[in-house]
PDB file of all heavy atoms in Angstrom:
ATOM      1  N   THR A   1     -36.975  22.559   0.413  1.00 88.00           N
ATOM      2  CA  THR A   1     -35.526  22.507   0.124  1.00 88.00           C
ATOM      3  C   THR A   1     -35.155  21.070  -0.297  1.00 88.00           C
ATOM      4  O   THR A   1     -34.454  20.817  -1.265  1.00 88.00           O
ATOM      5  CB  THR A   1     -34.724  23.002   1.239  1.00 88.00           C
ATOM      6  OG1 THR A   1     -35.023  24.415   1.536  1.00 88.00           O
ATOM      7  CG2 THR A   1     -33.234  22.945   0.995  1.00 88.00           C
ATOM      8  N   LEU A   2     -35.679  20.091   0.472  1.00 91.00           N
ATOM      9  CA  LEU A   2     -35.374  18.650   0.165  1.00 91.00           C
ATOM     10  C   LEU A   2     -35.926  18.311  -1.201  1.00 91.00           C
ATOM     11  O   LEU A   2     -35.197  17.683  -2.042  1.00 91.00           O
ATOM     12  CB  LEU A   2     -35.995  17.790   1.214  1.00 91.00           C
ATOM     13  CG  LEU A   2     -35.850  16.249   0.936  1.00 91.00           C
ATOM     14  CD1 LEU A   2     -34.464  15.813   0.873  1.00 91.00           C
ATOM     15  CD2 LEU A   2     -36.634  15.488   2.047  1.00 91.00           C
ATOM     16  N   LEU A   3     -37.171  18.731  -1.533  1.00 90.00           N
ATOM     17  CA  LEU A   3     -37.748  18.455  -2.818  1.00 90.00           C
ATOM     18  C   LEU A   3     -36.872  19.058  -3.987  1.00 90.00           C
ATOM     19  O   LEU A   3     -36.620  18.506  -4.989  1.00 90.00           O
ATOM     20  CB  LEU A   3     -39.213  18.887  -2.940  1.00 90.00           C
ATOM     21  CG  LEU A   3     -40.098  18.126  -2.051  1.00 90.00           C
ATOM     22  CD1 LEU A   3     -41.542  18.785  -2.088  1.00 90.00           C
ATOM     23  CD2 LEU A   3     -40.223  16.716  -2.522  1.00 90.00           C
ATOM     24  N   ARG A   4     -36.417  20.343  -3.709  1.00 90.00           N
ATOM     25  CA  ARG A   4     -35.630  21.050  -4.706  1.00 90.00           C
ATOM     26  C   ARG A   4     -34.288  20.349  -4.881  1.00 90.00           C
ATOM     27  O   ARG A   4     -33.728  20.348  -5.990  1.00 90.00           O
ATOM     28  CB  ARG A   4     -35.435  22.446  -4.333  1.00 90.00           C
ATOM     29  CG  ARG A   4     -36.841  23.268  -4.474  1.00 90.00           C
ATOM     30  CD  ARG A   4     -36.741  24.679  -4.221  1.00 90.00           C
ATOM     31  NE  ARG A   4     -35.959  25.294  -5.245  1.00 90.00           N
ATOM     32  CZ  ARG A   4     -35.309  26.420  -5.143  1.00 90.00           C
ATOM     33  NH1 ARG A   4     -35.386  27.029  -4.050  1.00 90.00           N
ATOM     34  NH2 ARG A   4     -34.574  26.899  -6.138  1.00 90.00           N
ATOM     35  N   VAL A   5     -33.682  19.743  -3.864  1.00 92.00           N
ATOM     36  CA  VAL A   5     -32.469  19.005  -3.996  1.00 92.00           C
ATOM     37  C   VAL A   5     -32.679  17.681  -4.758  1.00 92.00           C
ATOM     38  O   VAL A   5     -32.015  17.382  -5.669  1.00 92.00           O
ATOM     39  CB  VAL A   5     -31.863  18.672  -2.604  1.00 92.00           C
ATOM     40  CG1 VAL A   5     -30.691  17.649  -2.649  1.00 92.00           C
ATOM     41  CG2 VAL A   5     -31.380  19.932  -1.882  1.00 92.00           C
ATOM     42  N   ILE A   6     -33.831  17.063  -4.499  1.00 92.00           N
ATOM     43  CA  ILE A   6     -34.156  15.833  -5.235  1.00 92.00           C
ATOM     44  C   ILE A   6     -34.382  16.155  -6.733  1.00 92.00           C
ATOM     45  O   ILE A   6     -33.964  15.413  -7.566  1.00 92.00           O
ATOM     46  CB  ILE A   6     -35.407  15.153  -4.629  1.00 92.00           C
ATOM     47  CG1 ILE A   6     -35.087  14.527  -3.311  1.00 92.00           C
ATOM     48  CG2 ILE A   6     -35.946  14.075  -5.560  1.00 92.00           C
ATOM     49  CD1 ILE A   6     -36.300  14.112  -2.491  1.00 92.00           C
ATOM     50  N   MET A   7     -34.927  17.294  -7.020  1.00 90.00           N
ATOM     51  CA  MET A   7     -35.223  17.726  -8.414  1.00 90.00           C
ATOM     52  C   MET A   7     -33.949  18.294  -9.092  1.00 90.00           C
ATOM     53  O   MET A   7     -34.019  18.659 -10.192  1.00 90.00           O
ATOM     54  CB  MET A   7     -36.298  18.749  -8.442  1.00 90.00           C
ATOM     55  CG  MET A   7     -37.745  18.261  -7.988  1.00 90.00           C
ATOM     56  SD  MET A   7     -38.372  16.974  -9.018  1.00 90.00           S
ATOM     57  CE  MET A   7     -38.580  17.789 -10.581  1.00 90.00           C
ATOM     58  N   ARG A   8     -32.840  18.317  -8.356  1.00 91.00           N
ATOM     59  CA  ARG A   8     -31.560  18.917  -8.876  1.00 91.00           C
ATOM     60  C   ARG A   8     -31.614  20.419  -9.135  1.00 91.00           C
ATOM     61  O   ARG A   8     -30.850  20.914  -9.876  1.00 91.00           O
ATOM     62  CB  ARG A   8     -31.119  18.202 -10.098  1.00 91.00           C
ATOM     63  CG  ARG A   8     -31.108  16.637 -10.006  1.00 91.00           C
ATOM     64  CD  ARG A   8     -29.766  16.215  -9.297  1.00 91.00           C
ATOM     65  NE  ARG A   8     -29.585  14.813  -9.552  1.00 91.00           N
ATOM     66  CZ  ARG A   8     -29.536  13.919  -8.532  1.00 91.00           C
ATOM     67  NH1 ARG A   8     -29.803  14.337  -7.248  1.00 91.00           N
ATOM     68  NH2 ARG A   8     -29.319  12.628  -8.752  1.00 91.00           N
ATOM     69  N   GLU A   9     -32.560  21.104  -8.432  1.00 90.00           N
ATOM     70  CA  GLU A   9     -32.603  22.486  -8.509  1.00 90.00           C
ATOM     71  C   GLU A   9     -31.589  23.145  -7.542  1.00 90.00           C
ATOM     72  O   GLU A   9     -31.210  24.290  -7.705  1.00 90.00           O
ATOM     73  CB  GLU A   9     -33.978  23.050  -8.273  1.00 90.00           C
ATOM     74  CG  GLU A   9     -35.088  22.679  -9.247  1.00 90.00           C
ATOM     75  CD  GLU A   9     -36.433  23.189  -8.924  1.00 90.00           C
ATOM     76  OE1 GLU A   9     -36.603  23.960  -7.953  1.00 90.00           O
ATOM     77  OE2 GLU A   9     -37.363  22.847  -9.692  1.00 90.00           O
ATOM     78  N   LEU A  10     -31.281  22.456  -6.484  1.00 91.00           N
ATOM     79  CA  LEU A  10     -30.319  22.900  -5.514  1.00 91.00           C
ATOM     80  C   LEU A  10     -29.297  21.761  -5.277  1.00 91.00           C
ATOM     81  O   LEU A  10     -29.584  20.639  -5.373  1.00 91.00           O
ATOM     82  CB  LEU A  10     -30.976  23.216  -4.211  1.00 91.00           C
ATOM     83  CG  LEU A  10     -31.975  24.308  -4.117  1.00 91.00           C
ATOM     84  CD1 LEU A  10     -32.617  24.376  -2.672  1.00 91.00           C
ATOM     85  CD2 LEU A  10     -31.327  25.671  -4.376  1.00 91.00           C
ATOM     86  N   GLU A  11     -28.111  22.218  -4.853  1.00 93.00           N
ATOM     87  CA  GLU A  11     -27.015  21.215  -4.539  1.00 93.00           C
ATOM     88  C   GLU A  11     -26.993  21.100  -3.009  1.00 93.00           C
ATOM     89  O   GLU A  11     -27.054  22.096  -2.261  1.00 93.00           O
ATOM     90  CB  GLU A  11     -25.659  21.770  -4.977  1.00 93.00           C
ATOM     91  CG  GLU A  11     -25.425  21.668  -6.483  1.00 93.00           C
ATOM     92  CD  GLU A  11     -25.342  20.222  -6.901  1.00 93.00           C
ATOM     93  OE1 GLU A  11     -24.702  19.400  -6.153  1.00 93.00           O
ATOM     94  OE2 GLU A  11     -25.821  19.980  -8.009  1.00 93.00           O
ATOM     95  N   PRO A  12     -26.971  19.884  -2.507  1.00 93.00           N
ATOM     96  CA  PRO A  12     -26.847  19.686  -1.045  1.00 93.00           C
ATOM     97  C   PRO A  12     -25.467  20.119  -0.553  1.00 93.00           C
ATOM     98  O   PRO A  12     -24.513  20.151  -1.279  1.00 93.00           O
ATOM     99  CB  PRO A  12     -27.028  18.169  -0.867  1.00 93.00           C
ATOM    100  CG  PRO A  12     -26.590  17.542  -2.171  1.00 93.00           C
ATOM    101  CD  PRO A  12     -26.908  18.628  -3.233  1.00 93.00           C
ATOM    102  N   ALA A  13     -25.381  20.445   0.732  1.00 93.00           N
ATOM    103  CA  ALA A  13     -24.064  20.777   1.333  1.00 93.00           C
ATOM    104  C   ALA A  13     -23.236  19.505   1.450  1.00 93.00           C
ATOM    105  O   ALA A  13     -22.001  19.618   1.552  1.00 93.00           O
ATOM    106  CB  ALA A  13     -24.338  21.402   2.747  1.00 93.00           C
ATOM    107  N   GLY A  14     -23.850  18.343   1.580  1.00 95.00           N
ATOM    108  CA  GLY A  14     -23.136  17.068   1.634  1.00 95.00           C
ATOM    109  C   GLY A  14     -24.073  15.931   1.385  1.00 95.00           C
ATOM    110  O   GLY A  14     -25.312  16.092   1.413  1.00 95.00           O
ATOM    111  N   GLY A  15     -23.494  14.779   1.194  1.00 96.00           N
ATOM    112  CA  GLY A  15     -24.304  13.598   0.939  1.00 96.00           C
ATOM    113  C   GLY A  15     -24.553  13.315  -0.523  1.00 96.00           C
ATOM    114  O   GLY A  15     -24.048  13.996  -1.384  1.00 96.00           O
ATOM    115  N   HIS A  16     -25.476  12.341  -0.789  1.00 95.00           N
ATOM    116  CA  HIS A  16     -25.659  11.956  -2.126  1.00 95.00           C
ATOM    117  C   HIS A  16     -27.148  11.523  -2.284  1.00 95.00           C
ATOM    118  O   HIS A  16     -27.740  10.888  -1.438  1.00 95.00           O
ATOM    119  CB  HIS A  16     -24.763  10.826  -2.452  1.00 95.00           C
ATOM    120  CG  HIS A  16     -24.947  10.270  -3.844  1.00 95.00           C
ATOM    121  ND1 HIS A  16     -24.534  10.955  -4.955  1.00 95.00           N
ATOM    122  CD2 HIS A  16     -25.492   9.042  -4.266  1.00 95.00           C
ATOM    123  CE1 HIS A  16     -24.787  10.187  -6.040  1.00 95.00           C
ATOM    124  NE2 HIS A  16     -25.370   9.033  -5.620  1.00 95.00           N
ATOM    125  N   ILE A  17     -27.750  11.809  -3.501  1.00 95.00           N
ATOM    126  CA  ILE A  17     -29.094  11.312  -3.874  1.00 95.00           C
ATOM    127  C   ILE A  17     -28.918  10.492  -5.126  1.00 95.00           C
ATOM    128  O   ILE A  17     -28.316  11.036  -6.118  1.00 95.00           O
ATOM    129  CB  ILE A  17     -30.013  12.486  -4.027  1.00 95.00           C
ATOM    130  CG1 ILE A  17     -30.270  13.212  -2.734  1.00 95.00           C
ATOM    131  CG2 ILE A  17     -31.406  11.935  -4.620  1.00 95.00           C
ATOM    132  CD1 ILE A  17     -31.216  14.359  -2.768  1.00 95.00           C
ATOM    133  N   ALA A  18     -29.451   9.251  -5.129  1.00 95.00           N
ATOM    134  CA  ALA A  18     -29.382   8.420  -6.249  1.00 95.00           C
ATOM    135  C   ALA A  18     -30.857   8.163  -6.770  1.00 95.00           C
ATOM    136  O   ALA A  18     -31.693   7.806  -5.940  1.00 95.00           O
ATOM    137  CB  ALA A  18     -28.760   7.027  -5.983  1.00 95.00           C
ATOM    138  N   VAL A  19     -31.109   8.393  -8.041  1.00 94.00           N
ATOM    139  CA  VAL A  19     -32.434   8.246  -8.562  1.00 94.00           C
ATOM    140  C   VAL A  19     -32.310   7.152  -9.638  1.00 94.00           C
ATOM    141  O   VAL A  19     -31.367   7.192 -10.485  1.00 94.00           O
ATOM    142  CB  VAL A  19     -32.928   9.571  -9.265  1.00 94.00           C
ATOM    143  CG1 VAL A  19     -34.298   9.437  -9.847  1.00 94.00           C
ATOM    144  CG2 VAL A  19     -32.999  10.734  -8.185  1.00 94.00           C
ATOM    145  N   LEU A  20     -33.277   6.298  -9.698  1.00 95.00           N
ATOM    146  CA  LEU A  20     -33.302   5.194 -10.749  1.00 95.00           C
ATOM    147  C   LEU A  20     -33.276   5.831 -12.068  1.00 95.00           C
ATOM    148  O   LEU A  20     -34.061   6.778 -12.411  1.00 95.00           O
ATOM    149  CB  LEU A  20     -34.594   4.420 -10.585  1.00 95.00           C
ATOM    150  CG  LEU A  20     -34.761   3.248 -11.547  1.00 95.00           C
ATOM    151  CD1 LEU A  20     -33.782   2.107 -11.174  1.00 95.00           C
ATOM    152  CD2 LEU A  20     -36.230   2.731 -11.433  1.00 95.00           C
ATOM    153  N   PRO A  21     -32.370   5.478 -12.949  1.00 94.00           N
ATOM    154  CA  PRO A  21     -32.272   6.031 -14.255  1.00 94.00           C
ATOM    155  C   PRO A  21     -33.604   5.886 -15.031  1.00 94.00           C
ATOM    156  O   PRO A  21     -34.265   4.833 -14.983  1.00 94.00           O
ATOM    157  CB  PRO A  21     -31.202   5.156 -14.985  1.00 94.00           C
ATOM    158  CG  PRO A  21     -30.421   4.674 -13.918  1.00 94.00           C
ATOM    159  CD  PRO A  21     -31.305   4.439 -12.748  1.00 94.00           C
ATOM    160  N   GLY A  22     -34.042   6.980 -15.673  1.00 92.00           N
ATOM    161  CA  GLY A  22     -35.286   6.973 -16.434  1.00 92.00           C
ATOM    162  C   GLY A  22     -36.498   7.361 -15.558  1.00 92.00           C
ATOM    163  O   GLY A  22     -37.602   7.515 -16.119  1.00 92.00           O
ATOM    164  N   LEU A  23     -36.322   7.415 -14.274  1.00 91.00           N
ATOM    165  CA  LEU A  23     -37.456   7.784 -13.351  1.00 91.00           C
ATOM    166  C   LEU A  23     -37.917   9.252 -13.679  1.00 91.00           C
ATOM    167  O   LEU A  23     -37.052  10.134 -13.660  1.00 91.00           O
ATOM    168  CB  LEU A  23     -37.055   7.644 -11.926  1.00 91.00           C
ATOM    169  CG  LEU A  23     -38.171   7.924 -10.894  1.00 91.00           C
ATOM    170  CD1 LEU A  23     -39.279   6.839 -10.959  1.00 91.00           C
ATOM    171  CD2 LEU A  23     -37.557   7.987  -9.498  1.00 91.00           C
ATOM    172  N   ARG A  24     -39.163   9.419 -13.804  1.00 87.00           N
ATOM    173  CA  ARG A  24     -39.733  10.774 -13.967  1.00 87.00           C
ATOM    174  C   ARG A  24     -40.314  11.197 -12.653  1.00 87.00           C
ATOM    175  O   ARG A  24     -41.141  10.481 -12.068  1.00 87.00           O
ATOM    176  CB  ARG A  24     -40.813  10.780 -15.075  1.00 87.00           C
ATOM    177  CG  ARG A  24     -40.207  10.534 -16.418  1.00 87.00           C
ATOM    178  CD  ARG A  24     -41.288  10.502 -17.544  1.00 87.00           C
ATOM    179  NE  ARG A  24     -42.387  11.407 -17.274  1.00 87.00           N
ATOM    180  CZ  ARG A  24     -43.570  11.266 -17.898  1.00 87.00           C
ATOM    181  NH1 ARG A  24     -43.727  10.364 -18.772  1.00 87.00           N
ATOM    182  NH2 ARG A  24     -44.483  12.068 -17.637  1.00 87.00           N
ATOM    183  N   ILE A  25     -39.938  12.407 -12.189  1.00 85.00           N
ATOM    184  CA  ILE A  25     -40.429  12.946 -10.997  1.00 85.00           C
ATOM    185  C   ILE A  25     -41.209  14.207 -11.287  1.00 85.00           C
ATOM    186  O   ILE A  25     -40.761  15.094 -11.943  1.00 85.00           O
ATOM    187  CB  ILE A  25     -39.304  13.265  -9.955  1.00 85.00           C
ATOM    188  CG1 ILE A  25     -38.422  12.038  -9.663  1.00 85.00           C
ATOM    189  CG2 ILE A  25     -39.813  13.945  -8.701  1.00 85.00           C
ATOM    190  CD1 ILE A  25     -37.197  12.285  -8.870  1.00 85.00           C
ATOM    191  N   GLY A  26     -42.496  14.245 -10.791  1.00 79.00           N
ATOM    192  CA  GLY A  26     -43.287  15.428 -10.966  1.00 79.00           C
ATOM    193  C   GLY A  26     -43.253  16.275  -9.699  1.00 79.00           C
ATOM    194  O   GLY A  26     -43.212  15.723  -8.610  1.00 79.00           O
ATOM    195  N   TYR A  27     -43.252  17.548  -9.912  1.00 74.00           N
ATOM    196  CA  TYR A  27     -43.112  18.464  -8.790  1.00 74.00           C
ATOM    197  C   TYR A  27     -43.926  19.768  -9.143  1.00 74.00           C
ATOM    198  O   TYR A  27     -43.695  20.365 -10.213  1.00 74.00           O
ATOM    199  CB  TYR A  27     -41.676  18.764  -8.476  1.00 74.00           C
ATOM    200  CG  TYR A  27     -41.378  19.861  -7.566  1.00 74.00           C
ATOM    201  CD1 TYR A  27     -41.697  19.876  -6.212  1.00 74.00           C
ATOM    202  CD2 TYR A  27     -40.784  21.056  -8.058  1.00 74.00           C
ATOM    203  CE1 TYR A  27     -41.417  20.904  -5.395  1.00 74.00           C
ATOM    204  CE2 TYR A  27     -40.486  22.097  -7.241  1.00 74.00           C
ATOM    205  CZ  TYR A  27     -40.769  22.026  -5.894  1.00 74.00           C
ATOM    206  OH  TYR A  27     -40.502  23.089  -5.060  1.00 74.00           O
ATOM    207  N   LEU A  28     -44.820  20.174  -8.265  1.00 71.00           N
ATOM    208  CA  LEU A  28     -45.486  21.411  -8.444  1.00 71.00           C
ATOM    209  C   LEU A  28     -44.941  22.463  -7.523  1.00 71.00           C
ATOM    210  O   LEU A  28     -45.138  22.374  -6.303  1.00 71.00           O
ATOM    211  CB  LEU A  28     -47.048  21.216  -8.264  1.00 71.00           C
ATOM    212  CG  LEU A  28     -47.909  22.474  -8.463  1.00 71.00           C
ATOM    213  CD1 LEU A  28     -47.868  22.926  -9.838  1.00 71.00           C
ATOM    214  CD2 LEU A  28     -49.321  22.132  -8.038  1.00 71.00           C
ATOM    215  N   PRO A  29     -44.227  23.508  -7.909  1.00 72.00           N
ATOM    216  CA  PRO A  29     -43.677  24.451  -7.053  1.00 72.00           C
ATOM    217  C   PRO A  29     -44.714  25.263  -6.326  1.00 72.00           C
ATOM    218  O   PRO A  29     -45.869  25.395  -6.815  1.00 72.00           O
ATOM    219  CB  PRO A  29     -42.833  25.383  -7.967  1.00 72.00           C
ATOM    220  CG  PRO A  29     -43.107  24.972  -9.380  1.00 72.00           C
ATOM    221  CD  PRO A  29     -43.916  23.823  -9.380  1.00 72.00           C
ATOM    222  N   GLN A  30     -44.375  25.739  -5.198  1.00 72.00           N
ATOM    223  CA  GLN A  30     -45.325  26.567  -4.373  1.00 72.00           C
ATOM    224  C   GLN A  30     -45.633  27.847  -5.020  1.00 72.00           C
ATOM    225  O   GLN A  30     -46.729  28.393  -4.882  1.00 72.00           O
ATOM    226  CB  GLN A  30     -44.701  26.830  -3.001  1.00 72.00           C
ATOM    227  CG  GLN A  30     -44.539  25.595  -2.109  1.00 72.00           C
ATOM    228  CD  GLN A  30     -43.939  25.966  -0.733  1.00 72.00           C
ATOM    229  OE1 GLN A  30     -44.383  26.930  -0.142  1.00 72.00           O
ATOM    230  NE2 GLN A  30     -42.919  25.285  -0.365  1.00 72.00           N
ATOM    231  N   GLN A  31     -44.676  28.502  -5.622  1.00 75.00           N
ATOM    232  CA  GLN A  31     -44.878  29.816  -6.203  1.00 75.00           C
ATOM    233  C   GLN A  31     -44.697  29.676  -7.699  1.00 75.00           C
ATOM    234  O   GLN A  31     -43.713  29.135  -8.227  1.00 75.00           O
ATOM    235  CB  GLN A  31     -43.832  30.771  -5.662  1.00 75.00           C
ATOM    236  CG  GLN A  31     -44.015  30.983  -4.222  1.00 75.00           C
ATOM    237  CD  GLN A  31     -42.877  31.797  -3.583  1.00 75.00           C
ATOM    238  OE1 GLN A  31     -41.810  32.061  -4.223  1.00 75.00           O
ATOM    239  NE2 GLN A  31     -42.984  32.103  -2.310  1.00 75.00           N
ATOM    240  N   VAL A  32     -45.742  30.115  -8.407  1.00 72.00           N
ATOM    241  CA  VAL A  32     -45.801  29.920  -9.870  1.00 72.00           C
ATOM    242  C   VAL A  32     -45.799  31.301 -10.558  1.00 72.00           C
ATOM    243  O   VAL A  32     -46.661  32.129 -10.131  1.00 72.00           O
ATOM    244  CB  VAL A  32     -46.974  29.178 -10.333  1.00 72.00           C
ATOM    245  CG1 VAL A  32     -47.013  28.940 -11.773  1.00 72.00           C
ATOM    246  CG2 VAL A  32     -46.899  27.722  -9.671  1.00 72.00           C
TER     247      VAL A  32
END
């Protein structure tokens, strides 16, 4: 869930995540 919030796939219930502009984040989902 945390990774999906960082990837902007989910919205957090509260708080904020700031990502350096232009940063590329790779993520391999558990279920494909």
Side-chain angles (χ1 to χ4, degrees):
T1 300
L2 175 60
L3 291 174
R4 291 184 66 202
V5 169
I6 291 169
M7 296 295 298
R8 307 281 195 243
E9 292 179 6
L10 294 175
E11 286 292 322
H16 180 72
I17 295 179
V19 178
L20 181 71
L23 181 69
R24 291 178 34 197
I25 300 173
Y27 166 69
L28 180 62
Q30 292 182 48
Q31 298 172 351
V32 179

